Amino acid sequence: MSTKNIRNLKKACKPLVLVFICLLLTFKSVAQEKDSYSDVWFFLLNHIDIGEKWEARSEFHWRHTNFFDDKLQLVIRPSMSYKINSQVKITAGYSYLRNYPFRENAIPTPRPEHNIWEQVLLKHAGGKFSFSHRYRMEHRFQGDLTQGDNGEFGVSDFTFSNRFRYRFTIKHPLGD
């Protein structure tokens, strides 16, 4: 094997070693947990460019546990984005979530949630790495469950809260 091939092999292995180390740290932190549920997630993402600056997106998540036996969560999330430039994009959207009871001591009936949210996505690069920072502010309306005289649970009102979310992403090509 030539020294050029060895250098290319070492270069290609560095990101894989980093991913492997991250996985090991994750497995070690949950090594004592035992979960007998097998979750299945369906995910559909649609993206439509509207000119050079605007885009429409929609997400659909349908999550089950115990393989397909029990519903876990439904998420419907449409949004509109405006690209300020190649590094900055602003987005506004709506999310509908329906959380289902699926374990012992879980909520007694499906619980709805409505979110209105805004986000800013910042991108930059360094060498072969690309980085993105997503800042999202969510305005949440979560269904309040109450038990009626007949013993059944229902949504009586909605509680309002805010949530701030941050996501950091690093990308590196696997090949050259």
mmCIF file of all heavy atoms in Angstrom, residues 21-40:
data_model
loop_
_atom_site.group_PDB
_atom_site.id
_atom_site.type_symbol
_atom_site.label_atom_id
_atom_site.label_comp_id
_atom_site.label_asym_id
_atom_site.label_seq_id
_atom_site.Cartn_x
_atom_site.Cartn_y
_atom_site.Cartn_z
ATOM 1 N N ILE A 21 -16.381 7.287 18.971
ATOM 2 C CA ILE A 21 -16.159 7.739 20.351
ATOM 3 C C ILE A 21 -17.441 8.338 20.922
ATOM 4 O O ILE A 21 -17.810 8.055 22.063
ATOM 5 C CB ILE A 21 -14.987 8.735 20.416
ATOM 6 C CG1 ILE A 21 -13.671 8.004 20.135
ATOM 7 C CG2 ILE A 21 -14.933 9.443 21.757
ATOM 8 C CD1 ILE A 21 -12.475 8.917 19.938
ATOM 9 N N CYS A 22 -18.150 9.149 20.131
ATOM 10 C CA CYS A 22 -19.409 9.735 20.593
ATOM 11 C C CYS A 22 -20.431 8.652 20.908
ATOM 12 O O CYS A 22 -21.138 8.723 21.912
ATOM 13 C CB CYS A 22 -19.961 10.697 19.548
ATOM 14 S SG CYS A 22 -18.996 12.207 19.395
ATOM 15 N N LEU A 23 -20.494 7.628 20.068
ATOM 16 C CA LEU A 23 -21.422 6.518 20.328
ATOM 17 C C LEU A 23 -21.053 5.770 21.602
ATOM 18 O O LEU A 23 -21.921 5.401 22.390
ATOM 19 C CB LEU A 23 -21.452 5.558 19.146
ATOM 20 C CG LEU A 23 -22.189 6.051 17.902
ATOM 21 C CD1 LEU A 23 -21.991 5.078 16.746
ATOM 22 C CD2 LEU A 23 -23.658 6.238 18.188
ATOM 23 N N LEU A 24 -19.771 5.539 21.816
ATOM 24 C CA LEU A 24 -19.339 4.859 23.039
ATOM 25 C C LEU A 24 -19.728 5.649 24.277
ATOM 26 O O LEU A 24 -20.192 5.085 25.270
ATOM 27 C CB LEU A 24 -17.826 4.633 23.018
ATOM 28 C CG LEU A 24 -17.332 3.479 22.154
ATOM 29 C CD1 LEU A 24 -15.804 3.424 22.194
ATOM 30 C CD2 LEU A 24 -17.911 2.161 22.609
ATOM 31 N N LEU A 25 -19.543 6.970 24.240
ATOM 32 C CA LEU A 25 -19.914 7.798 25.386
ATOM 33 C C LEU A 25 -21.417 7.738 25.628
ATOM 34 O O LEU A 25 -21.866 7.691 26.763
ATOM 35 C CB LEU A 25 -19.457 9.240 25.157
ATOM 36 C CG LEU A 25 -17.947 9.463 25.145
ATOM 37 C CD1 LEU A 25 -17.625 10.895 24.747
ATOM 38 C CD2 LEU A 25 -17.340 9.129 26.498
ATOM 39 N N THR A 26 -22.204 7.717 24.577
ATOM 40 C CA THR A 26 -23.655 7.622 24.710
ATOM 41 C C THR A 26 -24.059 6.283 25.303
ATOM 42 O O THR A 26 -24.873 6.213 26.216
ATOM 43 C CB THR A 26 -24.327 7.797 23.333
ATOM 44 O OG1 THR A 26 -23.939 9.056 22.798
ATOM 45 C CG2 THR A 26 -25.827 7.733 23.450
ATOM 46 N N PHE A 27 -23.477 5.193 24.800
ATOM 47 C CA PHE A 27 -23.831 3.877 25.310
ATOM 48 C C PHE A 27 -23.441 3.724 26.773
ATOM 49 O O PHE A 27 -24.163 3.140 27.548
ATOM 50 C CB PHE A 27 -23.176 2.779 24.479
ATOM 51 C CG PHE A 27 -23.756 2.640 23.101
ATOM 52 C CD1 PHE A 27 -22.934 2.449 22.014
ATOM 53 C CD2 PHE A 27 -25.122 2.705 22.901
ATOM 54 C CE1 PHE A 27 -23.473 2.329 20.738
ATOM 55 C CE2 PHE A 27 -25.668 2.583 21.641
ATOM 56 C CZ PHE A 27 -24.841 2.393 20.557
ATOM 57 N N LYS A 28 -22.312 4.276 27.152
ATOM 58 C CA LYS A 28 -21.877 4.158 28.537
ATOM 59 C C LYS A 28 -22.848 4.874 29.467
ATOM 60 O O LYS A 28 -23.160 4.390 30.537
ATOM 61 C CB LYS A 28 -20.474 4.743 28.702
ATOM 62 C CG LYS A 28 -19.956 4.560 30.103
ATOM 63 C CD LYS A 28 -18.555 5.067 30.247
ATOM 64 C CE LYS A 28 -18.103 4.758 31.654
ATOM 65 N NZ LYS A 28 -17.208 5.668 32.202
ATOM 66 N N SER A 29 -23.375 6.029 29.037
ATOM 67 C CA SER A 29 -24.255 6.797 29.906
ATOM 68 C C SER A 29 -25.606 6.121 30.108
ATOM 69 O O SER A 29 -26.288 6.406 31.067
ATOM 70 C CB SER A 29 -24.448 8.206 29.352
ATOM 71 O OG SER A 29 -25.160 8.151 28.136
ATOM 72 N N VAL A 30 -26.019 5.241 29.220
ATOM 73 C CA VAL A 30 -27.306 4.565 29.368
ATOM 74 C C VAL A 30 -27.131 3.060 29.540
ATOM 75 O O VAL A 30 -28.053 2.298 29.324
ATOM 76 C CB VAL A 30 -28.235 4.858 28.169
ATOM 77 C CG1 VAL A 30 -28.602 6.307 28.118
ATOM 78 C CG2 VAL A 30 -27.619 4.389 26.878
ATOM 79 N N ALA A 31 -25.957 2.633 29.937
ATOM 80 C CA ALA A 31 -25.661 1.205 30.000
ATOM 81 C C ALA A 31 -26.548 0.472 31.001
ATOM 82 O O ALA A 31 -26.837 -0.702 30.813
ATOM 83 C CB ALA A 31 -24.186 0.985 30.350
ATOM 84 N N GLN A 32 -27.004 1.130 32.053
ATOM 85 C CA GLN A 32 -27.785 0.456 33.071
ATOM 86 C C GLN A 32 -29.279 0.520 32.822
ATOM 87 O O GLN A 32 -30.046 -0.061 33.561
ATOM 88 C CB GLN A 32 -27.472 1.050 34.444
ATOM 89 C CG GLN A 32 -26.010 0.918 34.836
ATOM 90 C CD GLN A 32 -25.540 -0.527 34.825
ATOM 91 O OE1 GLN A 32 -26.217 -1.412 35.325
ATOM 92 N NE2 GLN A 32 -24.384 -0.776 34.237
ATOM 93 N N GLU A 33 -29.717 1.245 31.784
ATOM 94 C CA GLU A 33 -31.133 1.341 31.500
ATOM 95 C C GLU A 33 -31.575 0.159 30.646
ATOM 96 O O GLU A 33 -30.862 -0.266 29.752
ATOM 97 C CB GLU A 33 -31.433 2.644 30.747
ATOM 98 C CG GLU A 33 -31.212 3.866 31.609
ATOM 99 C CD GLU A 33 -31.546 5.139 30.855
ATOM 100 O OE1 GLU A 33 -32.244 5.065 29.823
ATOM 101 O OE2 GLU A 33 -31.103 6.199 31.283
ATOM 102 N N LYS A 34 -32.766 -0.344 30.961
ATOM 103 C CA LYS A 34 -33.316 -1.440 30.163
ATOM 104 C C LYS A 34 -34.703 -1.022 29.717
ATOM 105 O O LYS A 34 -35.546 -0.652 30.526
ATOM 106 C CB LYS A 34 -33.379 -2.721 30.983
ATOM 107 C CG LYS A 34 -33.848 -3.891 30.173
ATOM 108 C CD LYS A 34 -33.803 -5.166 30.959
ATOM 109 C CE LYS A 34 -34.312 -6.296 30.069
ATOM 110 N NZ LYS A 34 -34.289 -7.558 30.760
ATOM 111 N N ASP A 35 -34.943 -1.098 28.426
ATOM 112 C CA ASP A 35 -36.209 -0.690 27.855
ATOM 113 C C ASP A 35 -36.692 -1.792 26.931
ATOM 114 O O ASP A 35 -35.972 -2.207 26.029
ATOM 115 C CB ASP A 35 -36.022 0.624 27.083
ATOM 116 C CG ASP A 35 -37.330 1.303 26.770
ATOM 117 O OD1 ASP A 35 -38.399 0.731 27.069
ATOM 118 O OD2 ASP A 35 -37.292 2.412 26.232
ATOM 119 N N SER A 36 -37.902 -2.266 27.159
ATOM 120 C CA SER A 36 -38.409 -3.363 26.352
ATOM 121 C C SER A 36 -39.303 -2.887 25.216
ATOM 122 O O SER A 36 -39.976 -3.683 24.590
ATOM 123 C CB SER A 36 -39.179 -4.338 27.245
ATOM 124 O OG SER A 36 -40.277 -3.678 27.832
ATOM 125 N N TYR A 37 -39.318 -1.583 24.949
ATOM 126 C CA TYR A 37 -40.146 -1.050 23.880
ATOM 127 C C TYR A 37 -39.328 -0.943 22.595
ATOM 128 O O TYR A 37 -38.165 -0.592 22.607
ATOM 129 C CB TYR A 37 -40.675 0.340 24.256
ATOM 130 C CG TYR A 37 -41.575 0.309 25.463
ATOM 131 C CD1 TYR A 37 -41.089 0.591 26.726
ATOM 132 C CD2 TYR A 37 -42.920 -0.004 25.332
ATOM 133 C CE1 TYR A 37 -41.917 0.557 27.835
ATOM 134 C CE2 TYR A 37 -43.758 -0.041 26.430
ATOM 135 C CZ TYR A 37 -43.242 0.248 27.676
ATOM 136 O OH TYR A 37 -44.070 0.206 28.757
ATOM 137 N N SER A 38 -39.960 -1.241 21.481
ATOM 138 C CA SER A 38 -39.311 -1.045 20.183
ATOM 139 C C SER A 38 -40.135 -0.013 19.423
ATOM 140 O O SER A 38 -41.273 -0.268 19.044
ATOM 141 C CB SER A 38 -39.226 -2.366 19.422
ATOM 142 O OG SER A 38 -40.505 -2.935 19.313
ATOM 143 N N ASP A 39 -39.555 1.163 19.251
ATOM 144 C CA ASP A 39 -40.266 2.269 18.623
ATOM 145 C C ASP A 39 -40.089 2.237 17.116
ATOM 146 O O ASP A 39 -39.041 1.855 16.606
ATOM 147 C CB ASP A 39 -39.770 3.605 19.167
ATOM 148 C CG ASP A 39 -40.064 3.770 20.653
ATOM 149 O OD1 ASP A 39 -40.932 3.049 21.169
ATOM 150 O OD2 ASP A 39 -39.436 4.629 21.282
ATOM 151 N N VAL A 40 -41.123 2.689 16.400
ATOM 152 C CA VAL A 40 -41.101 2.825 14.945
ATOM 153 C C VAL A 40 -41.534 4.247 14.632
ATOM 154 O O VAL A 40 -42.568 4.702 15.111
ATOM 155 C CB VAL A 40 -42.072 1.824 14.268
ATOM 156 C CG1 VAL A 40 -42.098 2.039 12.771
ATOM 157 C CG2 VAL A 40 -41.695 0.402 14.609
#
